[in-house]
Amino acid sequence: MSKRILIVDDAAFMRMMIKDILTKNGFEVVGEAADGAQAVEKYNELKPDLVTMDITMPEMDGIAALKSIKEKDPSAVIIMCSAMGQQAMVIDAIQAGAKDFIVKPFQADRVVEAIQKALG
């Protein structure tokens, strides 16, 4: 059965890029969210196998959303997406329970590798 993924990013073109990479590699994208608050809502509703979570978003950022999801579901598998130079935030995210992180601009093989490893 293909793994169900929720994509969270405030930029629609980024969500599209990730969705494209994932569907081409046999994953099922079950939902998308444009901010952290939506991410938490969609996670509870869809119960995906994995979430790709942008760090910098309006309303609620990715780290706050990560903490909120992990509080309700400690087994949640979340991979953070960040731009270069956000090391401190990435460390915060890993400490808060993120499985891995991928750096923008995305390289398809790195995205797939991180997801397969996280779902391992």
Side-chain angles (χ1 to χ4, degrees), residues 1-7 19 22-31 48-50:
M1 204 174 92
S2 66
K3 294 295 183 181
R4 303 168 66 254
I5 299 179
L6 170 64
I7 298 171
K19 187 176 188 171
L22 297 180
T23 48
K24 279 183 180 150
N25 285 277
F27 296 102
E28 183 192 352
V29 175
V30 290
D49 296 306
L50 182 136

Side-chain angles (χ1 to χ4, degrees), residues 53-118:
M53 179 87 70
D54 185 25
I55 292 181
T56 315
M57 295 180 290
E59 301 290 324
M60 178 194 267
D61 70 21
I63 293 174
L66 162 75
K67 288 176 179 167
S68 180
I69 290 170
K70 289 296 261 186
E71 234 166 67
K72 286 193 185 76
D73 181 1
S75 64
V77 180
I78 302 171
I79 292 180
M80 305 309 283
C81 305
S82 73
M84 289 300 279
Q86 289 185 314
Q87 274 76 5
M89 287 174 122
V90 167
I91 292 165
D92 282 354
I94 300 288
Q95 286 171 340
K99 280 275 191 230
D100 201 351
F101 67 94
I102 41 185
V103 178
K104 297 174 183 177
F106 299 121
Q107 291 171 300
D109 53 352
R110 172 71 186 113
V111 172
V112 173
E113 179 195 320
I115 288 174
Q116 286 170 336
K117 197 173 90 185

